[in-house]
């Protein structure tokens, strides 16, 4: 079974802190994603990575950066946390497949509260 | 921008009834996928339909895709209380980059 593991289920940080959210997948997937989920807004893509050191901005990249130094690990960085970044963060991975079989596997989510 | 929009936003039915959720999207796609999320948890993949397919079944799930109307529907037959969850459609326009909609909250009452 594919496993996507996020480093924390719950996190509380102070405004202005630098925050690291870590995600690891164990199935050699090329694609990895970071989404944030807010009530009524669904899942919004922050960043997408399709290979090591390769990244693409999603719909809401402002205030975030990412790092993918190894294929299995994708980190989301909040450079200076703000209260409007309080949210549920979801990491996912998928295989890049020319037959369009791109089912994504999700971690359990990190509920981040910025105070 | 959000690619998929689900309709309705919330749906409440009795156990044993069928539940239908709809998804509309804006641009051409490689495939469309449906996911389920139990409260406060990660999403679980339910079914994927490719752009050249019109209908697909998996157990009690039936998905249709109309690329001319840029819409899809998910039908859950003979709903159970355990089906209570949020359901999301996601579109893959290229390379597996998934864009999700806002979701439908389904409540199945005993």
């Amino acid at each position: 079974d594919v496993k996507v593991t996020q480093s924390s289920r719950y996190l509380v940080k102070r405004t202005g802190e630098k925050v690291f959210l870590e995600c690891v997948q164990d199935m050699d997937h090329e694609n990895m994603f970071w989404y944030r989920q807010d009530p009524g807004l669904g899942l919004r893509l922050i960043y997408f990575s399709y290979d090591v050191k390769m990244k693409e901005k999603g719909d809401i990249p402002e205030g975030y950066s990412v790092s993918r130094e190894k294929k299995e690990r994708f980190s989301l960085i909040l450079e200076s946390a703000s209260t409007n970044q309080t949210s549920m963060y979801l990491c996912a991975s998928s295989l890049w497949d020319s037959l369009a079989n791109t089912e994504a596997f999700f971690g359990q989510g990190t509920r981040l509260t910025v105070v | 921008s959000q690619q998929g929009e689900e309709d309705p936003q919330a749906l409440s039915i009795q156990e044993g009834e069928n539940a239908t959720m709809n998804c509309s999207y804006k641009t051409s796609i490689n495939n469309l996928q449906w996911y389920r999320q139990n409260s406060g948890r990660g999403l679980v993949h339910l079914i994927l339909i490719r752009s050249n397919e019109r209908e697909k079944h998996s157990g009690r799930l039936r998905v249709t895709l109309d690329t001319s109307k840029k819409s899809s529907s998910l039908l859950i037959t003979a709903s159970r209380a355990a089906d209570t969850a949020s359901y999301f459609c996601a579109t893959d326009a290229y390379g597996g980059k998934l864009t999700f909609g806002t979701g439908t909250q389904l409540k199945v009452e005993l």
Side-chain angles (χ1 to χ4, degrees):
Chain A
D1 279 353
V2 174
K3 194 165 185 182
V4 179
T5 304
Q6 295 184 228
S7 52
S8 305
R9 280 283 281 146
Y10 299 94
L11 213 50
V12 180
K13 294 292 181 181
R14 295 196 180 277
T15 301
E17 274 194 78
K18 190 168 186 176
V19 181
F20 293 86
L21 302 183
E22 307 285 346
C23 176
V24 177
Q25 52 97 359
D26 65 359
M27 279 299 290
D28 204 34
H29 284 172
E30 291 87 0
N31 296 333
M32 294 191 76
F33 314 81
W34 275 106
Y35 293 91
R36 68 175 277 178
Q37 183 177 20
D38 301 287
L41 297 178
L43 277 74
R44 293 180 291 167
L45 182 63
I46 305 171
Y47 269 97
F48 165 57
S49 170
Y50 49 92
D51 202 348
V52 175
K53 296 188 189 289
M54 306 304 286
K55 62 186 179 186
E56 192 174 302
K57 290 181 180 178
D59 297 320
I60 51 164
E62 297 78 19
Y64 303 95
S65 62
V66 290
S67 172
R68 194 163 179 206
E69 296 296 318
K70 294 184 178 181
K71 194 173 185 179
E72 67 270 20
R73 187 180 296 270
F74 192 35
S75 303
L76 180 69
I77 303 152
L78 286 67
E79 296 290 343
S80 177
S82 64
T83 55
N84 63 13
Q85 292 178 309
T86 291
S87 187
M88 170 74 98
Y89 290 87
L90 292 163
C91 175
S93 72
S94 72
L95 191 66
W96 192 93
D97 188 323
S98 60
L99 297 178
N101 188 21
T102 53
E103 169 190 354
F105 295 84
F106 279 82
Q108 288 293 82
T110 295
R111 190 168 292 280
L112 172 67
T113 303
V114 182
V115 298
Chain B
S1 60
Q2 291 288 345
Q3 173 76 311
E5 297 293 334
E6 283 94 337
D7 170 56
Q9 288 187 324
L11 180 60
S12 183
I13 59 173
Q14 299 293 313
E15 200 170 48
E17 293 180 339
N18 295 342
T20 300
M21 289 159 261
N22 302 297
C23 170
S24 60
Y25 58 92
K26 295 176 184 173
T27 62
S28 62
I29 60 172
N30 282 338
N31 66 67
L32 185 143
Q33 305 177 28
W34 286 90
Y35 289 80
R36 165 183 156 152
Q37 183 182 37
N38 289 92
S39 180
R41 312 291 279 184
L43 278 72
V44 175
H45 181 266
L46 293 176
I47 195 166
L48 179 154
I49 186 165
R50 295 190 176 87
S51 59
N52 61 353
E53 297 175 314
R54 292 296 167 259
E55 187 170 313
K56 201 162 184 180
H57 296 254
S58 177
R60 294 185 296 113
L61 305 180
R62 173 179 167 249
V63 170
T64 62
L65 179 65
D66 186 335
T67 53
S68 67
K69 294 181 179 178
K70 292 187 171 55
S71 67
S72 173
S73 67
L74 172 68
L75 169 68
I76 304 173
T77 59
S79 296
R80 306 166 181 166
D83 294 327
T84 294
S86 293
Y87 293 81
F88 295 87
C89 70
T91 51
D92 175 4
Y94 72 92
K97 182 180 175 183
L98 291 179
T99 304
F100 284 81
T102 51
T104 292
Q105 289 188 333
L106 173 65
K107 184 174 181 181
V108 181
E109 300 188 76
L110 294 169

